[in-house]
Amino acid sequence: MAAAGPSVFLLMVNGQVESAQFPEYDDLYCKYCFVYGQDWAPTAGLEEGISQITCKSQDVRRALVWNFPIDITFKSTNPYGWPQIVLSVYGPDVFGNDVIRGYGVAHVPLSPGSTSVCENICFRHKRTIPMFVPESTSKLQKFTSWFMGRRPEYTDPKVVAQGEGREVTRVRSQGFVTLLFNVVTKDMRKLGYDTGPPDTHGILGPSPPQGLPG
Amino acid sequence: MNPQEEKVKIITEEFIENDEDADVGRQKTSRVQRRKRKKQLPTAGPDEMVSEKSHLGDQQEPGHEDPNADARPLSMPTRRGPRSLPPIPSASRTGFAEFSMRERMREKLQAARSKAESALLQEIPTPRPRRLRSPSEKELETEFGTEPGGKIQTTQQEDDSQSYSRVKFRDSVRKIKSKTPVPPGFPSAEEAYNFFTFNFDPEPEESEEKPKAKNRDGANQEEGEGEEEEAPVPEGIDKTDEEVLLDDKDAVDFLLGLDRGAEDIVAVRPADYESVHIRLQKEKELLFIPSRRTVPTYKKLPENVQPRFLEDEGLYIGARLEVPRTNQNIMENRLLMQEPGRRWFGDDGRILALPNPIKPFPSRPLVLTQEQDIKAELETLYKKLQALRNAVQVSLNPAKTPKSLDTTRRAINEYKSEIRQTRKLRDIEQEKDRTLLKTIIKVWKEMKSLREFQRFTNTPLKLVLRKEKVDQKADEEAYEAEIQAEISELLEEHREEYEQRMDEYRSAHQQWKAWKKAQRTKKKKKKQGVEEHPDDEMEEPYPEEDPVKPVPPEPTNQAVIEQEVRERAAQSRRRPGEPMLVPELSLAGSVTPNDQCPRVEVLRREDVKRRSVYLKVLFNDKEVSRTNSRPLGADFRVHFGQIFNLQIVNWPESLTLQVYETVGHSGTTLLAEVFLPIPETTVVTGRAPLEEVEFSSNQHVTLDHEGVGSGVPFSFEADGSNQLTLMTSGKVSNSVSWAIGENGIPLIPPLSQQNIGFRSALKRADAISSIGTSGLTDMKKLAKWAAESKLDPNDPNNAPLMQLILVATSGESYVPDFFRLEQLQQEFNFVSDEELNRSKRFRLLRLRSQEVPEFRNYKQIPVYDREIMEKVFQDYEKRLRDRNVIETKDHIDTHRAIVAKYLQQVRESVINRFLIAKHHFLLADLIVEEEVPNISILGLRLFKLAEQKRPLRPRRKGRKKVTVQNLSDGDIKLLVNIIRAYDIPVRKPITSKFQQPPRSSRTFSEKQAASPTTHSPTHSADYPLSQVLVRPFVEVSFQRTICHTTTADGPNPSWNEELELPFRAPNGDYSTTSLQSVKDDVFINIFDEVLYDVLEDDRERASGIHTRIERHWLGCVKIPFSTIYFQAKIDGTFKIDTPPVLLGYSKERSVVAERGFDPVRSLSEGSYITLFITMEPQLVPGESVREKTSDMLKKFDSQEDEKLLQATEKFQAECALKFPNRQCLTTVIDISGKTVFITRYLKPLNPPQELLNAYPNNPQATAELVARYVSLIPFLPDTVSFAGICDLWSTSDQFLDLLAGDEEEHAVLLCNYFLSLGKKAWLMMGNAIPEGPTAYVLTREQSHYLIWNPCSGHFYGQFDTFCPLKSVGCLIGPDNIWFNIQRHDSPLRINFDITKPKLWKSFFSRSLPYPGLSSVQPEELIYQRTDKAAAAELQDRIEKILKEKIMDWRPRHLTRWNRYCTSTLRHFLPLLERSQGEDVEDDHRAELLKQLGDYRFSGFPLHMPYSELKPLIEAVYSTGVHNIDVPNVEFALAVYIHPYPKNVLSVWIYVASLIRNR
């Protein structure tokens, strides 16, 4: 079977959780994990990570910089369930309890490409993810959760990567996290998936996707 | 004061017109002039005056005049004269005229101001004038009567009171002021004199003029001028004299006043007070408060104009903005007040709020084109009429009609009505035709007159009316014939009608007559009656109820009809003999050449030449091509002659032509857009006719030459009347068609989309989908909806919808009987359906997404079909295939096979329901949120703050629960803590009764007993009762992983060991549902470790030890994993399930000595083990899912009374509030998913007669036997079978049919049996170990209560410490439910007296009495006797299978079967069944020993209910009998099945291993 060509395609993602904008909070740390479909499997790298605690910069930007690296390789047979990165940011509240400051999710970029450090080339895979937290169900609950430092949290941060069941929740937006991705894919085109932008096509040129090989 | 102003104008005009009147009007003029001067004053006067005036207020006006008047004389002294002197006669006419003109202008400018002034002059004179005027007043009185004077005086007096002082003061100031600007020396007495005379002159004049005006009744003043003007003249003269007199005096006063000025200025007056009244009055003058009342429409419209409602005319005007009525009224009132010109109001008398749908400019009527259409229509109508008439004629002729009379008549009737219709239509058309002809002629005439007027001709258009001579006579005849035909038809019609009516009349008359007759007889009777009782004479009873005597219908009058017909004919038809006029339009006329035209016309023609026109072609709103720019011809024609070929890709939606005009080299302007229809598919090139489409633009063009322009009114007539407004308009001749391809096939859109009209309408009407798709499927319904919802058909927004309805209802277009939601679905389909079905990969993907169990967690579906093995689907396909095939391989017994299948199906359906429910999330599934703490928790928390960090007595802290998402294999461990055991059976000193075993076979421990290394005292051989010790250890097996503890000593060992067993979820799926459906059990087996010395040679004993370890099974405890999962932990002491006969072991006798010390233990028999089992990490049980689905299931329909259901909810809520942990059950769900009240399940039901007959005299024994019978029905937990979804309660007969059920079913059946046995029995809901929430049965014996475990058949006393039931939630009887509201819920500590309402809260009480619910249980249970032969056969099969299994489990050893022993055992087993495993041990052992004397025997009987083969095999396996690997071991296995009624089978398996003693 190996002679007939690849039977999986590979997706390599590296990049970093660069920084965040949380105007009201300080001393935050961030967790990330990947959510992917059943046909996906990580082959190398870390699926989850937790960053250091960062304080706000003293300049006007008030940025919270982590520069926390991401490096993972997936293999898959099916683009369905394309990996998503789920971010959750935590930080201390007034009483010093660690509480959730934001959940966010973004798909790993579909098209290969890298962020350029050079200023005048566009940052193709720079993502700014708006973050949100679940809201308390009532004012009283809100108060008690604030008072006791037990804010409502998702049972699992991966919930934010799924659409199912979200209708029962209410969230509030707060802050942004900036992510940088560099994406390399292997054998995707050979399996009939064309994700690249037209300018990176190389010699082959745009070939119509053959559906799925029979 | 309009009259005054007007008069002034008029008078001045008079001067212009007739100078001969100058002398007569001299006096007049002087007066006029004076007044004029006065009116000029404000303009001429210095600015300061104006400003002063404005802020002094209106009252001051009279005073004002004075200085102004002062200023005037300087500039116009000469004209001042005439007042005292006669006017200068030399004043020329022209000059005067000019002067008067100027005056007029000024007057116009000052109209408003002077109006106000004069009004005030009249009303509020200064105090001084009053004084001065007194003489004139008198005079006025004499001359004109008191009327004006009185009026003035009253007003004066009113005003004086308040204004006097102020006015006076100001006056004096002004006087001084007015003096100042005058150059010194100039003012004189004369000046002053003038001043004052000027001022007060007008007053009387005004007053006299006013009445004059009144006298004239406001009529035309010009009329009475000559005469009536005379009257005031002498008066004026008199007055001037008088004025002189007065003014002299005045002058003196004035001079004096000057001196007094200072005092006047400083005069101190009390503060002014204005009463509210007055202020209001003044405010009323100043302020305008618009009324809120509705303004009548006539005020808002021009006079004599009816409001016009455009909606009624069928125009769409849109919906007005919602404005409150009052606001609207206020606005209207304000507008009416502010701007009397009604330009804010529309034709309907409302404020203009919407764009006017009516173009202000009429577009050109197109006269000539319509002609042709109408002509054609007429022709067809005529023909039709003729044909119909003929048809009637023919059919009326009976000889010619072969048809039956009936059909003919009907046909005739139809024809006739058709004739009528056609006639009507024809008449209408004819009339149209005539009027058209008339208009044509009129237009032509107009054109001709215009040409004549202009003296040139622009267009070669020429209309020739061709008269067709007609034969007078023939024509007349034809005309007459036509009329006659019509008359006869009408007559016939009328006759028919008449006859019909006559019939009616006749019947009515008949009736009436009958009634009359009856009446008469009645009357007669009455008369007689009246005669008898003359007193009650009365009128005819109910005269009004008499049927009216029917009037016979009038016969039709032929003359009248003829008259009518003739009139109509005269109106609409050409008169006979009148020549037929055929208008013919030709272009034969001559155009006047340029040089003969006037200049403006030449200009126009040049301008026309400069203009050119081109067209853009737009397809689907995109420009696709454009024509060349062509100049406009002199006759305004442009010939393009271009053909555009359009290859279209998209569905044609619209085709538009845009007409652009270019003037010279300047830019282009879009004149108009012409929308062309998409051609029908039948219209192909070559067949398409040229069509003319009109267009018109609303552009405004004004030209500086003779050209008409656009949107500008102009007139054809010389006198400028009859204005017309023409717009730029025109026609585009075009033809649109589908092309024909090379092979002659028209290139029309594909056939499937041929229905252009409908489809395109459909496409455009996307809004329709919002109505609901069902509307589209039924056009009639849609139309009905549109009619009902009163859609405005004129609203452009509704246009597509209306069009659609129109198309659909007209029936012209084909309405498909389907509606395609996604029209483009096919184009967007990923692959075709066939391919989708063929591909293995797609199939796999689909099955996975459907969550088919086999594929639910399939990872990494291969990319290529070829990589997918066919066997992947095999299991699935097999399952599908087997769904309906009953397989007997595993089940042996067909009945059970059927049941198993049935259960499987129920399970599948429930799981499917559950899968749906799984995708229904609750907040708690997604978000972890702390509950709102109540005060006690808060208090505890606060208290905790002060708590010691390391307390002396630490409390157990709850572990963190882990959600199941991120778990994988190996993450979860099962922790089993084996603490201790009680009353383990001990070995029996076998040797005591028989001869000593050979040395070599003595047990190792016995050997060891004397050795000094042994620490246990019980080991000593000289133990008083020669106690043989037992060395038990515990082996825990779970999912085929086995762990065991160390070996402890003695019958009451304490291990205190923690065993860790890994847990693997099925398929690696750690979701809640998957965990819930784990069926594995945890087996806790207790073994005795026996060491045998196998040293063959005694000589070696000194140098080595050679022993064999044997383990003897003592008993086991089985705990299902699901229980652990739901309970999170299991902590307690459990009865060890020991076999009834344990050869070589005994309990009672050996521990007699100990028993005395342990009273608690003595209460119960058997061995016990204390365990603590939990999982690490703790998993969140999927309880929420369960509740949720039960909520969902609750919504299933119920046949219970709504009130009852409400009561149950209330009851449950109340109970849950008090004791949230206690189980309270009121309603359950039956097997069909309906909610049923729980007491309906309880009803006395007869147990099998066989059981009752067993112990006729011993009710207790009977009860036990019944309990045993019930316990023999296999147990199948709901939680496993239905994956934690819900409890489904089956009725007892269903339960017996299924032969499987969980605690509830067992308990219900047992309870029902007990009830039928006459016991007091209740269903008891509570928590037990290890089952968790479960159901037990409580019975009341004479003095005590018994608690029955329905699944095991055991019973316990209320105070038995080893009773597995740990808490009691509620009791359920056949007619009530009692909830435990005592402090404790342990059965040891509660009172079961349900009559005490303080202890037991009952569901039905006095407030809600028991309604007498019928039971869901059957009347009687019918038991079939079980086929004994089948049981025997089954018995043999089981034995065979088990033997094979044991051999399989010993692959490396030879398994020998001791037949002799087996047969012995087989005989023994029925005994065990009979005695229920009691009191047979000794006999049995004795017998065995007798027969198998030279064998060392270890073995035991197992007893279990029969459901399937697998549990039997498992049980045998778990005993570990097969593990013996002594080379010369022999085995014995016997199976006995005892059949009970209803196919309940009790299975006994005796397994034993034998080792021959040497």
Side-chain angles (χ1 to χ4, degrees), chain B residues 1153-1171:
Chain B
E1154 278 180 56
R1155 291 203 109 182
F1157 306 111
D1158 202 343
V1160 180
R1161 221 178 299 154
S1162 67
L1163 286 175
S1164 175
E1165 296 170 3
S1167 317
Y1168 295 90
I1169 186 166
T1170 308
L1171 292 169

Side-chain angles (χ1 to χ4, degrees), chain B residues 205-219:
Chain B
E205 257 178 7
E206 295 272 27
S207 49
E208 71 190 36
E209 251 174 41
K210 225 193 166 169
K212 222 196 283 172
K214 270 179 196 158
N215 290 344
R216 285 182 202 159
D217 292 322

Side-chain angles (χ1 to χ4, degrees), chain B residues 408-468:
Chain B
T408 335
R409 175 161 298 165
R410 208 184 310 136
I412 288 169
N413 280 341
E414 274 167 21
Y415 284 149
K416 276 183 180 170
S417 69
E418 213 164 315
I419 286 171
R420 243 166 271 152
Q421 289 295 328
T422 325
R423 199 171 55 218
K424 256 180 220 161
L425 281 173
R426 185 203 59 187
D427 286 352
I428 291 164
E429 291 297 327
Q430 267 182 339
E431 215 171 321
K432 253 192 221 166
D433 188 38
R434 268 186 84 82
T435 43
L436 208 59
L437 196 65
K438 276 181 193 163
T439 12
I440 289 169
I441 294 165
K442 190 176 160 243
V443 169
W444 174 241
K445 273 181 184 157
E446 270 176 19
M447 206 149 133
K448 252 173 46 192
S449 75
L450 186 70
R451 279 180 181 168
E452 269 164 33
F453 170 70
Q454 283 180 327
R455 288 187 287 274
F456 60 83
T457 315
N458 248 337
T459 46
L461 217 61
K462 198 175 173 184
L463 184 80
V464 180
L465 283 174
R466 188 157 49 83
K467 273 186 198 172
E468 271 182 27

Side-chain angles (χ1 to χ4, degrees), chain B residues 66-130:
Chain B
D66 307 359
N68 293 349
D70 271 4
R72 187 40 78 184
L74 300 177
S75 54
M76 294 204 259
T78 47
R79 228 165 287 149
R80 174 79 44 76
R83 214 185 322 104
S84 47
L85 301 165
I88 300 153
S90 64
S92 75
R93 184 198 158 184
T94 47
F96 207 16
E98 265 181 11
F99 165 70
S100 63
M101 279 299 279
R102 215 165 50 224
E103 286 291 289
R104 212 157 123 196
M105 292 296 286
R106 282 198 192 115
E107 254 163 342
K108 268 184 183 168
L109 282 166
Q110 290 299 319
R113 195 169 294 174
S114 59
K115 232 192 283 173
E117 277 168 14
S118 49
L120 285 159
L121 268 174
Q122 218 183 0
E123 281 173 19
I124 318 148
T126 51
R128 226 178 320 172
R130 195 189 66 177

